[in-house]
Amino acid sequence: MDFNITEEMTDWFIKRTKNHIDLVRFYGEKILYLMEDNWDEQLISEFKKRLANHDQDKLIEPNRTPYILITWNYYCKDHNIDFPLSQEVKDAMNVATGSHVRNNPHHPEYWSDREDNLIPKEDRDKFDPTSVPTIDVNSMNTLALFEMIADWCAMSKEKGTNTPIEWVHIVTGN
C-alpha cells in the first residue's frame, strides 16, 4: 500500500483497539456472570479464551496496516477531518475486513459458506441489503453468539449514541 502511516495514526489505532478489546472483555464478563450457572467449566474456560483473544488478528500483519487506516478513517469521520483514500487503500481495507470476519467466529460471516466479501465496498458504514445478501446467524454456536453480543455492546458503548440493539439496526438498516 502506498500510504504513509504516521505515529499518530498508529497510536490512535492501538489506543482504540485496546479500548475495544477491553470493552468486549468487560461485557463478556457480564455475560459469564449471567450464564455461570448454566455453563459447565469447559464452556466457561473456552469463552474466557475467546475473550482473551478477541480481535488479536487486527494487531498483526497482514491486517494491522489496513486496520490502522480503517481506524484512522473513522477517527477522521468523527472529527470532520478530510481523509481521502485511494482505491488501492480502500481495497486493502476491504480485504482486511473480509479476512477478519472470515477468520473470527464472533462474526456471522465466519459461519457462511458464501465466497463474497460480504462488506459493502463503497460505504462500509451503510448496510444496504440489496448490495450484500443478509447473513444467517442460525449456524453460529453459543460461544460465538455471546462473543458477538459482547462485541455489539462494546461498539454501542464506543459510539455512545445508542443501545446495542439500536447499533445493530443502524448497521443492518433494519
Side-chain angles (χ1 to χ4, degrees):
M1 257 187 306
D2 64 345
F3 202 86
N4 193 15
I5 304 290
T6 67
E7 188 175 337
E8 181 182 20
M9 294 163 78
T10 301
D11 290 348
W12 176 249
F13 162 73
I14 292 167
K15 179 181 177 180
R16 185 264 156 201
T17 304
K18 180 186 178 318
N19 181 60
H20 174 71
I21 291 169
D22 288 347
L23 283 170
V24 170
R25 290 177 184 160
F26 172 80
Y27 288 108
E29 289 293 327
K30 288 184 172 290
I31 291 168
L32 275 172
Y33 175 77
L34 293 171
M35 299 306 297
E36 67 186 348
D37 292 338
N38 300 312
W39 288 358
D40 62 29
E41 286 301 316
Q42 183 179 354
L43 207 57
I44 291 169
S45 175
E46 179 60 32
F47 191 62
K48 286 181 178 180
K49 276 190 227 171
R50 285 176 182 252
L51 295 175
N53 293 315
H54 184 83
D55 282 359
Q56 292 300 305
D57 64 321
K58 291 180 179 180
L59 300 172
I60 57 174
E61 296 298 350
N63 290 343
R64 181 183 171 89
T65 298
Y67 267 98
I68 291 171
L69 294 167
I70 290 166
T71 306
W72 189 252
N73 188 42
Y74 285 123
Y75 175 87
C76 290
K77 282 182 181 182
D78 291 344
H79 293 88
N80 295 317
I81 299 169
D82 188 36
F83 186 60
L85 299 169
S86 70
Q87 190 58 51
E88 178 186 21
V89 169
K90 289 178 186 177
D91 291 345
M93 290 164 57
N94 288 331
V95 167
T97 303
S99 171
H100 175 69
V101 301
R102 284 276 187 210
N103 289 294
N104 286 275
H106 67 276
H107 289 285
E109 295 87 350
Y110 173 92
W111 301 89
S112 173
D113 55 3
R114 291 199 346 249
E115 294 299 319
D116 51 352
N117 189 350
L118 312 168
I119 306 299
K121 301 235 184 296
E122 291 308 311
D123 190 345
R124 302 166 55 84
D125 300 325
K126 299 294 183 211
F127 181 79
D128 176 1
T130 62
S131 70
V132 290
T134 301
I135 302 298
D136 183 2
V137 299
N138 289 314
S139 59
M140 292 178 76
N141 68 32
T142 300
L143 294 181
L145 283 167
F146 280 114
E147 185 180 358
M148 180 180 72
I149 290 166
D151 197 23
W152 288 357
C153 290
M155 288 302 302
S156 174
K157 178 73 171 174
E158 287 175 64
K159 295 297 182 185
T161 57
N162 49 53
T163 68
I165 292 171
E166 289 169 334
W167 181 81
V168 170
H169 287 299
I170 290 169
V171 172
T172 63
N174 293 324

